[in-house]
Structure formats: C-alpha cells, structure tokens
Amino acid sequence: MSKESIAVFAGGCFWCAEAVFQRLKGVSTVVSGYTGGAIKNPAYREICTGRTGHAEAIQITFDEEIISFEELLEVFFATHDPTTLNRQGGDVGTQYRSEIFYQDEKQKQQATDFIQLLTNEKVFSSPIVTAISEAKPFYLAEEEHQNYYNGHKTQSFCALVINPKIEKLESYFKNKLK
C-alpha cells in the first residue's frame, strides 16, 4: 500500500533537479514549475526577470513507503550548492534560489533538522542559505521545460551541467536508483 506525498524543492535550474529526482526509486512523477511568487500562472519569460518572486522548482510525487522525505532532502543537498544565495553555477537571480517549500509541519521540522545536522557536521565550508517556506501554489512550467534532460541529453547545457549531477547521484545514491 503506497503512501503518496508531495515535495517541492527549488535548487537552481529546474531541468537539473527534475533529471536527478526522476531517477529515484519511489518517485512516481517530477514536474518542473514555478512557486513562491506573487502572480498567478507566471510564464518562463516573466519569472526570468526576477520580478515575480517565483523560483524555478520541481514538484515530486513520491511513495513514503519506498523513499522518505529525509532521503529526498539528502539528495537535494548533495546535488546543488545550498550555500550560494540566488545562484547555481552560471544561473543567477532570485528564480535560482535554494528553497524547500514544505507541505506540512512534519516536512518543515525535517527540513529544519536536516539543515541543522549539515551545519553541525560542517558538511559545507560556507553557511547554508536554503530557505524553508510554506508551500505556495505551484504552477507547471511550459511543456518544453518538462522532462527536458531526457529529450536533450546531447545539448551542451545538459552535457556540461546536468550530466555531472547525475553522475554524482549514481555514485553516492546507487541503492536509491530505479
């Protein structure tokens, strides 16, 4: 019997995050979209201005009987840089911020505890800037952004930016892969 839940993470480019989380056992769907902003139904061209307040994010549907929210957090923090404010690599702007949008108080506490653990263990040499915020409406990104990596693996961005994240996932989380 599955216990389906939702997790929403912003960690830079949604193409990258989507490609990573699609490969995990227990994850049934990952969609790219926008959340955390002030306007309804934003478009990519609008959020790229940084004026809507939205972040590029992914919405993950997962089975808690197979993979826990804490395991998703582990992958999230291992596959992006949570110490750079409003930036991931060459992508700069508030739309590329690191943020966890919790669905309930349990997720909020787990995210808070996980960041505290990473901080206490000095996993990163700089302070973690990942925000923890209550979930807001999640708007699906345009169709051309969905499942992007799987349809464009040879594109230079995918080869140079996404492939290393997937290689890291395959190296560190082999037992969690589909």
Side-chain angles (χ1 to χ4, degrees), residues 30-142:
V30 182
V31 292
S32 291
Y34 317 113
T35 193
I39 66 169
K40 291 182 179 179
N41 299 309
Y44 183 73
R45 68 189 181 309
E46 293 169 315
I47 71 112
C48 284
T49 67
R51 293 192 299 260
T52 70
H54 291 87
E56 285 194 15
I58 57 166
Q59 183 179 70
I60 305 162
T61 304
F62 66 102
D63 182 343
E64 287 187 57
E65 300 293 322
I66 300 171
I67 191 165
S68 68
F69 182 70
E70 288 170 320
E71 289 173 298
L72 295 177
L73 288 171
E74 190 178 357
V75 171
F76 174 68
F77 282 101
T79 56
H80 86 292
D81 184 351
T83 69
T84 55
L85 187 62
N86 301 327
R87 172 188 204 121
Q88 287 298 305
D91 292 328
V92 180
T94 57
Q95 68 272 29
Y96 298 114
R97 65 187 180 264
S98 177
E99 191 162 359
I100 298 164
F101 294 92
Y102 62 86
Q103 307 299 305
D104 55 33
E105 288 301 313
K106 182 179 176 188
Q107 282 188 358
K108 178 183 180 183
Q109 190 60 55
Q110 289 173 320
T112 302
D113 291 348
F114 199 82
I115 289 173
Q116 190 60 56
L117 173 71
L118 294 173
T119 301
N120 292 347
E121 296 290 323
K122 296 179 176 38
V123 172
F124 298 98
S125 57
S126 299
I128 294 171
V129 298
T130 303
I132 302 171
S133 304
E134 186 173 2
K136 293 189 174 187
F138 184 89
Y139 302 100
L140 281 179
E142 297 79 357

Side-chain angles (χ1 to χ4, degrees), residues 1-17:
M1 181 173 196
S2 75
K3 185 168 188 309
E4 209 167 71
S5 294
I6 299 289
V8 176
F9 298 143
C13 172
F14 49 30
W15 296 342
C16 299

